[in-house]
Structure formats: structure tokens, C-alpha cells
């Protein structure tokens, strides 16, 4: 940190004590890699094929190359929050994502010491 120009630092150390986190109790294992590996195994067991992780190309009926996105069962989202945003506020947002789109929040981290400028 001491070698980075002060104007490029976006972390305010004095606010680090305000950071909060939540891990979904249904998640069980807090290591995302383990969870991801379990999903891969489940996909293989359910359909007998490996999960298509990498983007690939295929030829369409018209001969054009079509890019097919790979599977990414774990996604990360970033929210811009106000200084008065609480962990409860973000958890409520997560509940709405679950209700509307079936997206299950696994972890929430509020970094209130970042992004000040």
C-alpha cells in the first residue's frame, strides 16, 4: 500500500470496522470452490455429462459461428450502497432476488471502507 499513490487508494482504513458479512446458513460450507465442485458432481450424476464450464463455438444452420456461453452456477454481484445501508437492507434485496428469479444468495460482504472518493 505504501508504494501506491494516495490518490489511487480507495480503501479508508478508519471505516474497516464498519464492514459486515453474512453467510447463508443453508449454504453450510463457506468455501465457494467446494460448493462449485459439488455442483459439478451433481450435474454429472444427474445427466451423465460433465458441466459445460468453458465458452465454446458451434456452427449455426446458416453456417455462422455462434458462441455458446459456458455454465457458471456461482455468480458475483456488486451493489453500490449508501453509508446508511445495513446488512439487513442487503439481505432483503437478496430475498427479493430469491423470490423473483430463484437466485440464492450464499454470502454477503459489506465493504463500507471501499469506494470513497
Amino acid at each position: 500500500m505504501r508504494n501506491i499513490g494516495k490518490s489511487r487508494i480507495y480503501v479508508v482504513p478508519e471505516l474497516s470496522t464498519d464492514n459486515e458479512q453474512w453467510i447463508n446458513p443453508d449454504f453450510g460450507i463457506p468455501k465457494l470452490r467446494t460448493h462449485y465442485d459439488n455442483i459439478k458432481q451433481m450435474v454429472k450424476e444427474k445427466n451423465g455429462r460433465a458441466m459445460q464450464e468453458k465458452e465454446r463455438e458451434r456452427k449455426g444452420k446458416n453456417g455462422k459461428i455462434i458462441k455458446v456461453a459456458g455454465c457458471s452456477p456461482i455468480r458475483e454481484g456488486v451493489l453500490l450502497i449508501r453509508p446508511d445501508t445495513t446488512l439487513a437492507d442487503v439481505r432483503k434485496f437478496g430475498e427479493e432476488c430469491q423470490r423473483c428469479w430463484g437466485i440464492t444468495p450464499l454470502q454477503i460482504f459489506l465493504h463500507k471502507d471501499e469506494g470513497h472518493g
Side-chain angles (χ1 to χ4, degrees):
M1 292 284 285
R2 71 175 179 263
N3 295 329
I4 300 173
K6 212 169 185 90
S7 65
R8 298 187 69 189
I9 297 174
Y10 65 93
V11 175
V12 181
E14 301 83 47
L15 298 176
S16 293
T17 56
D18 296 335
N19 292 346
E20 298 178 81
Q21 71 177 29
W22 171 82
I23 296 175
N24 187 328
D26 296 332
F27 180 36
I29 304 167
K31 292 188 177 186
L32 290 176
R33 183 77 236 176
T34 303
H35 190 62
Y36 185 86
D37 291 342
N38 290 341
I39 292 170
K40 280 176 57 173
Q41 182 180 348
M42 180 188 66
V43 168
K44 177 77 171 166
E45 290 171 3
K46 296 282 183 187
N47 70 16
R49 294 173 42 198
M51 185 169 71
Q52 300 293 318
E53 298 178 74
K54 296 182 181 169
E55 181 181 277
R56 60 194 191 285
E57 294 179 349
R58 69 175 181 83
K59 217 176 247 190
K61 292 179 182 179
N62 59 4
K64 288 188 175 183
I65 300 295
I66 300 169
K67 289 191 178 199
V68 180
C71 176
S72 183
I74 298 176
R75 304 282 178 111
E76 178 181 24
V78 177
L79 303 175
L80 297 177
I81 61 172
R82 296 183 309 264
D84 62 339
T85 300
T86 66
L87 188 58
D89 295 334
V90 181
R91 284 187 63 188
K92 185 176 180 182
F93 173 75
E95 291 167 5
E96 280 299 301
C97 290
Q98 173 81 45
R99 188 182 67 73
C100 293
W101 302 294
I103 298 169
T104 303
L106 300 177
Q107 302 172 334
I108 296 172
F109 295 92
L110 286 185
H111 294 277
K112 292 191 172 185
D113 58 350
E114 294 180 10
H116 297 269

